[in-house]
Amino acid sequence: MSTSSCAGLKSKCEPACCCLPYSSFLFSLLEAEVVEKQVRSTTTLLKLSRLPFRKTIDEFNFSIQPTIDERRIRELMTLSFLKEHENPIFLGPPGIGKTHLAVSIGLQAISQGYKTYFVSAHDLIIQLRKADSDGKLEKKLRSFVKPRLLIIDEMGYMKLDIGDAHYLFQVIARRYEKGSIILTSNKSFGEWGEMVGDPVIATAIFDRLLHHSRIFNLNGESYRLKEKRNKDKLEK
């Protein structure tokens, strides 16, 4: 423990110093330093995660999305899927909370000390394209393999060419049975062959992604459209 840290912690605990045995006082100092290190670690993991916003599961309105099984979502929050290297996959139309769910699970993972990284499918491909052109593809691929939890958001908004499909396959293949992926997509699995551009590569991706997966098919009205309609009603 550093002298400055000890001095700062000691000043916080001094009132208890007179009435506590030295061993108890020392334990209090050590406990406070452990808590401080945990806070710093969580802050660093949050910064490195690139999460687009911070919304917890308690902020998710399950009542207006009846197709979502709250029990199954709450089970994901235990993070048992990380230990099994499983991949939660959220499928459904835009605006129904897929990203919110992914982010809330990411926040829970970070709170438990797991390195987490969030990236849209579009940005993932763009980064890998650039790394490849710069001769740094291997290094970039390793950066997507390293996190315990990788969140790939909005799969399906960008049609992939053969090269892009190979990039995606390499990320998924290298993480297979080594780290979990949370994936959100507005496309059903039946549409992935067209989106990926090569049915053979699509099948290879499915084989690894779905082998250990938990699939959630979401339906319902977009939150954003619903809020817009309610706002318009209030303004009339």
Side-chain angles (χ1 to χ4, degrees), residues 3 10 13 22 36 52-53 65 90-91 93 120 129 134 136 142-143 150 173 185 192 197 201 204 207 231 235:
T3 304
K10 185 176 180 181
C13 301
Y22 181 73
E36 185 181 346
F53 52 80
Q65 294 294 353
F90 298 103
L91 305 175
S120 71
R129 281 180 186 171
D134 293 343
K136 299 178 180 178
R142 286 198 301 268
S143 75
L150 177 65
S185 178
W192 275 47
I201 298 178
D207 182 60
K231 182 179 178 181
E235 290 176 352

Side-chain angles (χ1 to χ4, degrees), residues 186-200:
N186 66 328
K187 302 289 187 183
S188 67
F189 290 133
E191 299 174 281
W192 275 47
E194 180 182 353
M195 176 187 67
V196 171
D198 186 314
V200 175

Side-chain angles (χ1 to χ4, degrees), residues 121-135:
H122 176 271
D123 286 345
L124 174 76
I125 297 302
I126 295 301
Q127 289 183 41
L128 290 170
R129 281 180 186 171
K130 185 177 187 307
D132 198 3
S133 66
D134 293 343

Side-chain angles (χ1 to χ4, degrees), residues 33-160:
E33 177 144 317
V34 168
V35 170
E36 185 181 346
K37 285 182 178 179
Q38 289 175 337
V39 170
R40 288 200 303 267
S41 175
T42 299
T43 300
T44 299
L45 288 173
L46 276 171
K47 288 180 180 178
L48 294 175
S49 71
R50 301 293 181 89
L51 290 174
F53 52 80
R54 298 179 189 179
K55 287 186 179 181
T56 67
I57 196 63
D58 292 328
E59 296 174 77
F60 191 88
N61 190 345
F62 286 95
S63 65
I64 61 176
Q65 294 294 353
T67 61
I68 301 175
D69 187 338
E70 183 175 356
R71 179 191 58 80
R72 290 184 67 207
I73 298 297
R74 294 285 180 184
E75 205 283 325
L76 288 178
M77 302 303 290
T78 68
L79 305 179
S80 60
F81 72 92
L82 285 178
K83 298 172 185 176
E84 302 298 327
H85 307 305
E86 293 177 325
N87 305 313
I89 301 173
F90 298 103
L91 305 175
I96 60 173
K98 300 186 301 296
T99 302
H100 183 160
L101 291 171
V103 166
S104 66
I105 298 167
L107 286 172
Q108 180 69 3
I110 289 169
S111 74
Q112 298 302 308
Y114 293 111
K115 186 174 182 181
T116 300
Y117 189 76
F118 179 101
V119 64
S120 71
H122 176 271
D123 286 345
L124 174 76
I125 297 302
I126 295 301
Q127 289 183 41
L128 290 170
R129 281 180 186 171
K130 185 177 187 307
D132 198 3
S133 66
D134 293 343
K136 299 178 180 178
L137 179 60
E138 185 61 32
K139 181 178 180 181
K140 178 56 69 173
L141 285 169
R142 286 198 301 268
S143 75
F144 288 124
V145 174
K146 188 175 181 180
R148 186 67 179 274
L149 175 60
L150 177 65
I151 302 173
I152 303 177
D153 193 38
E154 297 184 336
M155 187 71 191
Y157 288 94
M158 176 185 185
K159 190 168 183 178
L160 309 181

